[in-house]
Amino acid sequence: MQQMVQRQQKYILYLLSLYTLGWGFTSYKTLFASLMLGTGISLFLLWSLVRKVAKFGRAVAQGKKVRSLGTFSRLAAAVLAAAIAVQYPQYFSIIPVVIGLMTSYAVIIIDFLLHKNKHPS
């Protein structure tokens, strides 16, 4: 699982690099800044979810009670990204921020589809 997560994080970092190049070398600064904001928070949310799931798994294996997987904190991070986009419309646009927030989910799905036959269940 760790290998899968590292691969997904690497893909997201590649996307962030492409967005940075797009921001630096094109006139679409708002679009690429928005994608960077959303994708950066998406990467944080993926990292946070992986940590919480690992902690959850350890707690269940030890027979301990588990509070939650941190849904509220991840939702708060997404709301923060949207609030930044709304507060600074000269720098960010809400639609690309939301697309960026969904990036980790798209990367997870694509990674699964690309690697599902390599490791049969």
PDB file of all heavy atoms in Angstrom, residues 43-81:
ATOM      1  N   LEU A  43      -3.356  17.206  -2.319  1.00  0.00           N
ATOM      2  CA  LEU A  43      -2.209  16.391  -1.912  1.00  0.00           C
ATOM      3  C   LEU A  43      -2.155  16.284  -0.390  1.00  0.00           C
ATOM      4  O   LEU A  43      -1.942  15.203   0.167  1.00  0.00           O
ATOM      5  CB  LEU A  43      -0.908  16.988  -2.444  1.00  0.00           C
ATOM      6  CG  LEU A  43       0.387  16.273  -2.059  1.00  0.00           C
ATOM      7  CD1 LEU A  43       0.385  14.838  -2.576  1.00  0.00           C
ATOM      8  CD2 LEU A  43       1.579  17.045  -2.617  1.00  0.00           C
ATOM      9  N   PHE A  44      -2.382  17.395   0.298  1.00  0.00           N
ATOM     10  CA  PHE A  44      -2.427  17.375   1.761  1.00  0.00           C
ATOM     11  C   PHE A  44      -3.549  16.457   2.253  1.00  0.00           C
ATOM     12  O   PHE A  44      -3.372  15.691   3.204  1.00  0.00           O
ATOM     13  CB  PHE A  44      -2.626  18.786   2.319  1.00  0.00           C
ATOM     14  CG  PHE A  44      -3.001  18.794   3.771  1.00  0.00           C
ATOM     15  CD1 PHE A  44      -2.054  18.520   4.740  1.00  0.00           C
ATOM     16  CD2 PHE A  44      -4.303  19.051   4.164  1.00  0.00           C
ATOM     17  CE1 PHE A  44      -2.401  18.509   6.088  1.00  0.00           C
ATOM     18  CE2 PHE A  44      -4.658  19.047   5.503  1.00  0.00           C
ATOM     19  CZ  PHE A  44      -3.704  18.767   6.463  1.00  0.00           C
ATOM     20  N   LEU A  45      -4.714  16.523   1.602  1.00  0.00           N
ATOM     21  CA  LEU A  45      -5.841  15.691   2.008  1.00  0.00           C
ATOM     22  C   LEU A  45      -5.547  14.211   1.796  1.00  0.00           C
ATOM     23  O   LEU A  45      -5.918  13.374   2.630  1.00  0.00           O
ATOM     24  CB  LEU A  45      -7.104  16.100   1.242  1.00  0.00           C
ATOM     25  CG  LEU A  45      -7.617  17.516   1.523  1.00  0.00           C
ATOM     26  CD1 LEU A  45      -8.795  17.842   0.616  1.00  0.00           C
ATOM     27  CD2 LEU A  45      -7.979  17.698   2.969  1.00  0.00           C
ATOM     28  N   LEU A  46      -4.868  13.883   0.701  1.00  0.00           N
ATOM     29  CA  LEU A  46      -4.480  12.492   0.453  1.00  0.00           C
ATOM     30  C   LEU A  46      -3.513  12.022   1.543  1.00  0.00           C
ATOM     31  O   LEU A  46      -3.684  10.943   2.113  1.00  0.00           O
ATOM     32  CB  LEU A  46      -3.839  12.349  -0.925  1.00  0.00           C
ATOM     33  CG  LEU A  46      -3.288  10.965  -1.284  1.00  0.00           C
ATOM     34  CD1 LEU A  46      -4.408   9.943  -1.350  1.00  0.00           C
ATOM     35  CD2 LEU A  46      -2.533  11.029  -2.597  1.00  0.00           C
ATOM     36  N   TRP A  47      -2.521  12.824   1.842  1.00  0.00           N
ATOM     37  CA  TRP A  47      -1.547  12.489   2.878  1.00  0.00           C
ATOM     38  C   TRP A  47      -2.248  12.303   4.225  1.00  0.00           C
ATOM     39  O   TRP A  47      -1.981  11.349   4.958  1.00  0.00           O
ATOM     40  CB  TRP A  47      -0.498  13.596   2.939  1.00  0.00           C
ATOM     41  CG  TRP A  47       0.446  13.478   4.080  1.00  0.00           C
ATOM     42  CD1 TRP A  47       1.534  12.646   4.180  1.00  0.00           C
ATOM     43  CD2 TRP A  47       0.390  14.203   5.310  1.00  0.00           C
ATOM     44  NE1 TRP A  47       2.161  12.823   5.394  1.00  0.00           N
ATOM     45  CE2 TRP A  47       1.475  13.777   6.105  1.00  0.00           C
ATOM     46  CE3 TRP A  47      -0.460  15.187   5.808  1.00  0.00           C
ATOM     47  CZ2 TRP A  47       1.719  14.284   7.371  1.00  0.00           C
ATOM     48  CZ3 TRP A  47      -0.214  15.693   7.070  1.00  0.00           C
ATOM     49  CH2 TRP A  47       0.866  15.242   7.832  1.00  0.00           C
ATOM     50  N   SER A  48      -3.153  13.205   4.539  1.00  0.00           N
ATOM     51  CA  SER A  48      -3.891  13.136   5.798  1.00  0.00           C
ATOM     52  C   SER A  48      -4.746  11.873   5.869  1.00  0.00           C
ATOM     53  O   SER A  48      -4.777  11.190   6.902  1.00  0.00           O
ATOM     54  CB  SER A  48      -4.778  14.378   5.938  1.00  0.00           C
ATOM     55  OG  SER A  48      -5.618  14.275   7.046  1.00  0.00           O
ATOM     56  N   LEU A  49      -5.418  11.556   4.787  1.00  0.00           N
ATOM     57  CA  LEU A  49      -6.270  10.368   4.767  1.00  0.00           C
ATOM     58  C   LEU A  49      -5.443   9.092   4.932  1.00  0.00           C
ATOM     59  O   LEU A  49      -5.830   8.192   5.686  1.00  0.00           O
ATOM     60  CB  LEU A  49      -7.077  10.304   3.472  1.00  0.00           C
ATOM     61  CG  LEU A  49      -8.045   9.128   3.356  1.00  0.00           C
ATOM     62  CD1 LEU A  49      -9.107   9.187   4.444  1.00  0.00           C
ATOM     63  CD2 LEU A  49      -8.687   9.133   1.980  1.00  0.00           C
ATOM     64  N   VAL A  50      -4.303   9.032   4.277  1.00  0.00           N
ATOM     65  CA  VAL A  50      -3.437   7.851   4.397  1.00  0.00           C
ATOM     66  C   VAL A  50      -2.973   7.686   5.842  1.00  0.00           C
ATOM     67  O   VAL A  50      -2.979   6.573   6.383  1.00  0.00           O
ATOM     68  CB  VAL A  50      -2.238   7.959   3.426  1.00  0.00           C
ATOM     69  CG1 VAL A  50      -1.178   6.917   3.733  1.00  0.00           C
ATOM     70  CG2 VAL A  50      -2.721   7.832   1.994  1.00  0.00           C
ATOM     71  N   ARG A  51      -2.586   8.766   6.475  1.00  0.00           N
ATOM     72  CA  ARG A  51      -2.167   8.704   7.885  1.00  0.00           C
ATOM     73  C   ARG A  51      -3.303   8.228   8.781  1.00  0.00           C
ATOM     74  O   ARG A  51      -3.112   7.379   9.656  1.00  0.00           O
ATOM     75  CB  ARG A  51      -1.710  10.086   8.364  1.00  0.00           C
ATOM     76  CG  ARG A  51      -0.288  10.400   8.016  1.00  0.00           C
ATOM     77  CD  ARG A  51       0.230  11.666   8.709  1.00  0.00           C
ATOM     78  NE  ARG A  51      -0.129  11.713  10.106  1.00  0.00           N
ATOM     79  CZ  ARG A  51      -0.709  12.753  10.717  1.00  0.00           C
ATOM     80  NH1 ARG A  51      -1.005  13.828  10.040  1.00  0.00           N
ATOM     81  NH2 ARG A  51      -0.983  12.728  12.002  1.00  0.00           N
ATOM     82  N   LYS A  52      -4.493   8.773   8.566  1.00  0.00           N
ATOM     83  CA  LYS A  52      -5.645   8.411   9.409  1.00  0.00           C
ATOM     84  C   LYS A  52      -6.042   6.950   9.191  1.00  0.00           C
ATOM     85  O   LYS A  52      -6.391   6.261  10.154  1.00  0.00           O
ATOM     86  CB  LYS A  52      -6.839   9.317   9.102  1.00  0.00           C
ATOM     87  CG  LYS A  52      -6.614  10.761   9.434  1.00  0.00           C
ATOM     88  CD  LYS A  52      -6.758  11.015  10.904  1.00  0.00           C
ATOM     89  CE  LYS A  52      -6.674  12.509  11.158  1.00  0.00           C
ATOM     90  NZ  LYS A  52      -6.907  12.862  12.517  1.00  0.00           N
ATOM     91  N   VAL A  53      -6.005   6.473   7.951  1.00  0.00           N
ATOM     92  CA  VAL A  53      -6.357   5.082   7.674  1.00  0.00           C
ATOM     93  C   VAL A  53      -5.338   4.141   8.315  1.00  0.00           C
ATOM     94  O   VAL A  53      -5.713   3.102   8.886  1.00  0.00           O
ATOM     95  CB  VAL A  53      -6.487   4.834   6.156  1.00  0.00           C
ATOM     96  CG1 VAL A  53      -6.538   3.351   5.829  1.00  0.00           C
ATOM     97  CG2 VAL A  53      -7.723   5.532   5.610  1.00  0.00           C
ATOM     98  N   ALA A  54      -4.061   4.486   8.253  1.00  0.00           N
ATOM     99  CA  ALA A  54      -3.036   3.653   8.888  1.00  0.00           C
ATOM    100  C   ALA A  54      -3.252   3.620  10.408  1.00  0.00           C
ATOM    101  O   ALA A  54      -3.168   2.558  11.033  1.00  0.00           O
ATOM    102  CB  ALA A  54      -1.646   4.182   8.560  1.00  0.00           C
ATOM    103  N   LYS A  55      -3.534   4.764  10.993  1.00  0.00           N
ATOM    104  CA  LYS A  55      -3.799   4.835  12.435  1.00  0.00           C
ATOM    105  C   LYS A  55      -5.049   4.033  12.789  1.00  0.00           C
ATOM    106  O   LYS A  55      -5.081   3.318  13.790  1.00  0.00           O
ATOM    107  CB  LYS A  55      -3.972   6.305  12.837  1.00  0.00           C
ATOM    108  CG  LYS A  55      -4.115   6.538  14.303  1.00  0.00           C
ATOM    109  CD  LYS A  55      -4.192   8.041  14.583  1.00  0.00           C
ATOM    110  CE  LYS A  55      -4.353   8.329  16.046  1.00  0.00           C
ATOM    111  NZ  LYS A  55      -4.453   9.763  16.305  1.00  0.00           N
ATOM    112  N   PHE A  56      -6.071   4.149  11.943  1.00  0.00           N
ATOM    113  CA  PHE A  56      -7.316   3.403  12.129  1.00  0.00           C
ATOM    114  C   PHE A  56      -7.043   1.898  12.092  1.00  0.00           C
ATOM    115  O   PHE A  56      -7.520   1.147  12.954  1.00  0.00           O
ATOM    116  CB  PHE A  56      -8.302   3.798  11.024  1.00  0.00           C
ATOM    117  CG  PHE A  56      -9.635   3.122  11.100  1.00  0.00           C
ATOM    118  CD1 PHE A  56     -10.637   3.644  11.890  1.00  0.00           C
ATOM    119  CD2 PHE A  56      -9.904   1.982  10.365  1.00  0.00           C
ATOM    120  CE1 PHE A  56     -11.876   3.034  11.958  1.00  0.00           C
ATOM    121  CE2 PHE A  56     -11.132   1.363  10.420  1.00  0.00           C
ATOM    122  CZ  PHE A  56     -12.128   1.896  11.224  1.00  0.00           C
ATOM    123  N   GLY A  57      -6.253   1.452  11.119  1.00  0.00           N
ATOM    124  CA  GLY A  57      -5.917   0.039  10.987  1.00  0.00           C
ATOM    125  C   GLY A  57      -5.162  -0.491  12.191  1.00  0.00           C
ATOM    126  O   GLY A  57      -5.445  -1.595  12.685  1.00  0.00           O
ATOM    127  N   ARG A  58      -4.204   0.295  12.679  1.00  0.00           N
ATOM    128  CA  ARG A  58      -3.448  -0.118  13.875  1.00  0.00           C
ATOM    129  C   ARG A  58      -4.358  -0.225  15.097  1.00  0.00           C
ATOM    130  O   ARG A  58      -4.261  -1.162  15.884  1.00  0.00           O
ATOM    131  CB  ARG A  58      -2.304   0.850  14.148  1.00  0.00           C
ATOM    132  CG  ARG A  58      -1.129   0.705  13.205  1.00  0.00           C
ATOM    133  CD  ARG A  58       0.075   1.507  13.673  1.00  0.00           C
ATOM    134  NE  ARG A  58      -0.187   2.929  13.854  1.00  0.00           N
ATOM    135  CZ  ARG A  58      -0.084   3.854  12.905  1.00  0.00           C
ATOM    136  NH1 ARG A  58       0.299   3.502  11.682  1.00  0.00           N
ATOM    137  NH2 ARG A  58      -0.325   5.125  13.173  1.00  0.00           N
ATOM    138  N   ALA A  59      -5.252   0.745  15.236  1.00  0.00           N
ATOM    139  CA  ALA A  59      -6.163   0.738  16.386  1.00  0.00           C
ATOM    140  C   ALA A  59      -7.106  -0.465  16.329  1.00  0.00           C
ATOM    141  O   ALA A  59      -7.339  -1.122  17.346  1.00  0.00           O
ATOM    142  CB  ALA A  59      -6.957   2.038  16.431  1.00  0.00           C
ATOM    143  N   VAL A  60      -7.634  -0.767  15.161  1.00  0.00           N
ATOM    144  CA  VAL A  60      -8.531  -1.909  15.021  1.00  0.00           C
ATOM    145  C   VAL A  60      -7.781  -3.209  15.302  1.00  0.00           C
ATOM    146  O   VAL A  60      -8.293  -4.099  15.989  1.00  0.00           O
ATOM    147  CB  VAL A  60      -9.179  -1.931  13.611  1.00  0.00           C
ATOM    148  CG1 VAL A  60      -9.873  -3.247  13.350  1.00  0.00           C
ATOM    149  CG2 VAL A  60     -10.154  -0.772  13.465  1.00  0.00           C
ATOM    150  N   ALA A  61      -6.559  -3.315  14.805  1.00  0.00           N
ATOM    151  CA  ALA A  61      -5.760  -4.525  15.031  1.00  0.00           C
ATOM    152  C   ALA A  61      -5.453  -4.731  16.515  1.00  0.00           C
ATOM    153  O   ALA A  61      -5.354  -5.867  16.977  1.00  0.00           O
ATOM    154  CB  ALA A  61      -4.461  -4.453  14.235  1.00  0.00           C
ATOM    155  N   GLN A  62      -5.332  -3.644  17.245  1.00  0.00           N
ATOM    156  CA  GLN A  62      -5.041  -3.737  18.681  1.00  0.00           C
ATOM    157  C   GLN A  62      -6.313  -3.807  19.526  1.00  0.00           C
ATOM    158  O   GLN A  62      -6.245  -3.878  20.744  1.00  0.00           O
ATOM    159  CB  GLN A  62      -4.201  -2.541  19.122  1.00  0.00           C
ATOM    160  CG  GLN A  62      -2.832  -2.505  18.493  1.00  0.00           C
ATOM    161  CD  GLN A  62      -2.088  -1.211  18.783  1.00  0.00           C
ATOM    162  OE1 GLN A  62      -2.635  -0.294  19.399  1.00  0.00           O
ATOM    163  NE2 GLN A  62      -0.851  -1.133  18.342  1.00  0.00           N
ATOM    164  N   GLY A  63      -7.475  -3.736  18.870  1.00  0.00           N
ATOM    165  CA  GLY A  63      -8.745  -3.807  19.583  1.00  0.00           C
ATOM    166  C   GLY A  63      -9.128  -2.532  20.293  1.00  0.00           C
ATOM    167  O   GLY A  63      -9.964  -2.539  21.193  1.00  0.00           O
ATOM    168  N   LYS A  64      -8.532  -1.425  19.907  1.00  0.00           N
ATOM    169  CA  LYS A  64      -8.835  -0.135  20.532  1.00  0.00           C
ATOM    170  C   LYS A  64     -10.005   0.528  19.818  1.00  0.00           C
ATOM    171  O   LYS A  64     -10.315   0.220  18.680  1.00  0.00           O
ATOM    172  CB  LYS A  64      -7.621   0.788  20.475  1.00  0.00           C
ATOM    173  CG  LYS A  64      -6.446   0.302  21.268  1.00  0.00           C
ATOM    174  CD  LYS A  64      -5.296   1.288  21.159  1.00  0.00           C
ATOM    175  CE  LYS A  64      -4.084   0.825  21.944  1.00  0.00           C
ATOM    176  NZ  LYS A  64      -2.953   1.741  21.762  1.00  0.00           N
ATOM    177  N   LYS A  65     -10.598   1.511  20.510  1.00  0.00           N
ATOM    178  CA  LYS A  65     -11.662   2.301  19.895  1.00  0.00           C
ATOM    179  C   LYS A  65     -11.042   3.337  18.957  1.00  0.00           C
ATOM    180  O   LYS A  65      -9.971   3.868  19.229  1.00  0.00           O
ATOM    181  CB  LYS A  65     -12.489   3.025  20.955  1.00  0.00           C
ATOM    182  CG  LYS A  65     -13.461   2.135  21.655  1.00  0.00           C
ATOM    183  CD  LYS A  65     -14.485   2.975  22.364  1.00  0.00           C
ATOM    184  CE  LYS A  65     -15.602   2.064  22.798  1.00  0.00           C
ATOM    185  NZ  LYS A  65     -16.865   2.733  22.780  1.00  0.00           N
ATOM    186  N   VAL A  66     -11.772   3.622  17.887  1.00  0.00           N
ATOM    187  CA  VAL A  66     -11.302   4.591  16.905  1.00  0.00           C
ATOM    188  C   VAL A  66     -12.307   5.732  16.845  1.00  0.00           C
ATOM    189  O   VAL A  66     -13.508   5.512  16.727  1.00  0.00           O
ATOM    190  CB  VAL A  66     -11.165   3.932  15.517  1.00  0.00           C
ATOM    191  CG1 VAL A  66     -10.653   4.927  14.513  1.00  0.00           C
ATOM    192  CG2 VAL A  66     -10.270   2.717  15.596  1.00  0.00           C
ATOM    193  N   ARG A  67     -11.779   6.947  16.938  1.00  0.00           N
ATOM    194  CA  ARG A  67     -12.677   8.110  16.940  1.00  0.00           C
ATOM    195  C   ARG A  67     -13.238   8.396  15.567  1.00  0.00           C
ATOM    196  O   ARG A  67     -14.430   8.350  15.364  1.00  0.00           O
ATOM    197  CB  ARG A  67     -11.946   9.329  17.472  1.00  0.00           C
ATOM    198  CG  ARG A  67     -11.707   9.243  18.952  1.00  0.00           C
ATOM    199  CD  ARG A  67     -11.047  10.446  19.522  1.00  0.00           C
ATOM    200  NE  ARG A  67     -11.007  11.568  18.596  1.00  0.00           N
ATOM    201  CZ  ARG A  67     -10.611  12.768  18.909  1.00  0.00           C
ATOM    202  NH1 ARG A  67     -10.215  13.010  20.114  1.00  0.00           N
ATOM    203  NH2 ARG A  67     -10.591  13.724  18.023  1.00  0.00           N
ATOM    204  N   SER A  68     -12.385   8.751  14.605  1.00  0.00           N
ATOM    205  CA  SER A  68     -12.866   9.045  13.263  1.00  0.00           C
ATOM    206  C   SER A  68     -11.686   9.038  12.298  1.00  0.00           C
ATOM    207  O   SER A  68     -10.536   8.931  12.697  1.00  0.00           O
ATOM    208  CB  SER A  68     -13.566  10.404  13.219  1.00  0.00           C
ATOM    209  OG  SER A  68     -12.672  11.443  12.959  1.00  0.00           O
ATOM    210  N   LEU A  69     -12.011   9.189  11.036  1.00  0.00           N
ATOM    211  CA  LEU A  69     -10.968   9.257  10.013  1.00  0.00           C
ATOM    212  C   LEU A  69     -10.649  10.706   9.646  1.00  0.00           C
ATOM    213  O   LEU A  69      -9.989  10.966   8.654  1.00  0.00           O
ATOM    214  CB  LEU A  69     -11.393   8.480   8.768  1.00  0.00           C
ATOM    215  CG  LEU A  69     -11.442   6.971   8.935  1.00  0.00           C
ATOM    216  CD1 LEU A  69     -11.936   6.319   7.662  1.00  0.00           C
ATOM    217  CD2 LEU A  69     -10.079   6.429   9.300  1.00  0.00           C
ATOM    218  N   GLY A  70     -11.117  11.659  10.418  1.00  0.00           N
ATOM    219  CA  GLY A  70     -10.779  13.060  10.182  1.00  0.00           C
ATOM    220  C   GLY A  70     -11.544  13.703   9.049  1.00  0.00           C
ATOM    221  O   GLY A  70     -11.027  14.585   8.373  1.00  0.00           O
ATOM    222  N   THR A  71     -12.775  13.271   8.860  1.00  0.00           N
ATOM    223  CA  THR A  71     -13.589  13.817   7.774  1.00  0.00           C
ATOM    224  C   THR A  71     -13.778  15.320   7.938  1.00  0.00           C
ATOM    225  O   THR A  71     -13.696  16.066   6.961  1.00  0.00           O
ATOM    226  CB  THR A  71     -14.950  13.102   7.726  1.00  0.00           C
ATOM    227  OG1 THR A  71     -14.720  11.702   7.581  1.00  0.00           O
ATOM    228  CG2 THR A  71     -15.793  13.597   6.573  1.00  0.00           C
ATOM    229  N   PHE A  72     -14.019  15.765   9.154  1.00  0.00           N
ATOM    230  CA  PHE A  72     -14.256  17.186   9.384  1.00  0.00           C
ATOM    231  C   PHE A  72     -13.036  18.025   9.028  1.00  0.00           C
ATOM    232  O   PHE A  72     -13.162  19.080   8.398  1.00  0.00           O
ATOM    233  CB  PHE A  72     -14.669  17.444  10.835  1.00  0.00           C
ATOM    234  CG  PHE A  72     -14.955  18.883  11.110  1.00  0.00           C
ATOM    235  CD1 PHE A  72     -16.131  19.465  10.658  1.00  0.00           C
ATOM    236  CD2 PHE A  72     -14.041  19.672  11.783  1.00  0.00           C
ATOM    237  CE1 PHE A  72     -16.390  20.806  10.886  1.00  0.00           C
ATOM    238  CE2 PHE A  72     -14.289  21.004  12.021  1.00  0.00           C
ATOM    239  CZ  PHE A  72     -15.476  21.582  11.570  1.00  0.00           C
ATOM    240  N   SER A  73     -11.846  17.573   9.409  1.00  0.00           N
ATOM    241  CA  SER A  73     -10.640  18.354   9.108  1.00  0.00           C
ATOM    242  C   SER A  73     -10.374  18.401   7.602  1.00  0.00           C
ATOM    243  O   SER A  73      -9.924  19.430   7.084  1.00  0.00           O
ATOM    244  CB  SER A  73      -9.432  17.807   9.858  1.00  0.00           C
ATOM    245  OG  SER A  73      -9.159  16.488   9.456  1.00  0.00           O
ATOM    246  N   ARG A  74     -10.651  17.315   6.898  1.00  0.00           N
ATOM    247  CA  ARG A  74     -10.468  17.325   5.447  1.00  0.00           C
ATOM    248  C   ARG A  74     -11.500  18.230   4.784  1.00  0.00           C
ATOM    249  O   ARG A  74     -11.183  18.961   3.838  1.00  0.00           O
ATOM    250  CB  ARG A  74     -10.522  15.904   4.896  1.00  0.00           C
ATOM    251  CG  ARG A  74      -9.305  15.076   5.306  1.00  0.00           C
ATOM    252  CD  ARG A  74      -9.164  13.776   4.544  1.00  0.00           C
ATOM    253  NE  ARG A  74     -10.387  13.036   4.359  1.00  0.00           N
ATOM    254  CZ  ARG A  74     -10.900  12.182   5.244  1.00  0.00           C
ATOM    255  NH1 ARG A  74     -10.280  11.984   6.387  1.00  0.00           N
ATOM    256  NH2 ARG A  74     -12.014  11.537   4.984  1.00  0.00           N
ATOM    257  N   LEU A  75     -12.730  18.211   5.283  1.00  0.00           N
ATOM    258  CA  LEU A  75     -13.764  19.102   4.760  1.00  0.00           C
ATOM    259  C   LEU A  75     -13.386  20.564   5.027  1.00  0.00           C
ATOM    260  O   LEU A  75     -13.556  21.427   4.162  1.00  0.00           O
ATOM    261  CB  LEU A  75     -15.113  18.774   5.395  1.00  0.00           C
ATOM    262  CG  LEU A  75     -16.285  19.638   4.971  1.00  0.00           C
ATOM    263  CD1 LEU A  75     -16.549  19.497   3.475  1.00  0.00           C
ATOM    264  CD2 LEU A  75     -17.525  19.281   5.755  1.00  0.00           C
ATOM    265  N   ALA A  76     -12.843  20.831   6.203  1.00  0.00           N
ATOM    266  CA  ALA A  76     -12.426  22.193   6.547  1.00  0.00           C
ATOM    267  C   ALA A  76     -11.313  22.677   5.611  1.00  0.00           C
ATOM    268  O   ALA A  76     -11.298  23.849   5.214  1.00  0.00           O
ATOM    269  CB  ALA A  76     -11.975  22.260   8.000  1.00  0.00           C
ATOM    270  N   ALA A  77     -10.389  21.796   5.245  1.00  0.00           N
ATOM    271  CA  ALA A  77      -9.314  22.179   4.321  1.00  0.00           C
ATOM    272  C   ALA A  77      -9.886  22.516   2.945  1.00  0.00           C
ATOM    273  O   ALA A  77      -9.448  23.484   2.296  1.00  0.00           O
ATOM    274  CB  ALA A  77      -8.286  21.056   4.212  1.00  0.00           C
ATOM    275  N   ALA A  78     -10.858  21.753   2.496  1.00  0.00           N
ATOM    276  CA  ALA A  78     -11.491  22.033   1.203  1.00  0.00           C
ATOM    277  C   ALA A  78     -12.259  23.357   1.252  1.00  0.00           C
ATOM    278  O   ALA A  78     -12.208  24.159   0.307  1.00  0.00           O
ATOM    279  CB  ALA A  78     -12.422  20.890   0.813  1.00  0.00           C
ATOM    280  N   VAL A  79     -12.943  23.620   2.356  1.00  0.00           N
ATOM    281  CA  VAL A  79     -13.657  24.888   2.523  1.00  0.00           C
ATOM    282  C   VAL A  79     -12.665  26.046   2.560  1.00  0.00           C
ATOM    283  O   VAL A  79     -12.928  27.119   1.993  1.00  0.00           O
ATOM    284  CB  VAL A  79     -14.545  24.856   3.789  1.00  0.00           C
ATOM    285  CG1 VAL A  79     -15.075  26.229   4.146  1.00  0.00           C
ATOM    286  CG2 VAL A  79     -15.689  23.870   3.597  1.00  0.00           C
ATOM    287  N   LEU A  80     -11.519  25.847   3.188  1.00  0.00           N
ATOM    288  CA  LEU A  80     -10.484  26.876   3.218  1.00  0.00           C
ATOM    289  C   LEU A  80     -10.029  27.229   1.801  1.00  0.00           C
ATOM    290  O   LEU A  80      -9.881  28.407   1.465  1.00  0.00           O
ATOM    291  CB  LEU A  80      -9.298  26.420   4.059  1.00  0.00           C
ATOM    292  CG  LEU A  80      -8.090  27.351   4.073  1.00  0.00           C
ATOM    293  CD1 LEU A  80      -8.450  28.682   4.731  1.00  0.00           C
ATOM    294  CD2 LEU A  80      -6.925  26.703   4.782  1.00  0.00           C
ATOM    295  N   ALA A  81      -9.811  26.213   0.966  1.00  0.00           N
ATOM    296  CA  ALA A  81      -9.400  26.471  -0.423  1.00  0.00           C
ATOM    297  C   ALA A  81     -10.471  27.273  -1.159  1.00  0.00           C
ATOM    298  O   ALA A  81     -10.149  28.242  -1.867  1.00  0.00           O
ATOM    299  CB  ALA A  81      -9.137  25.153  -1.138  1.00  0.00           C
TER     300      ALA A  81
END
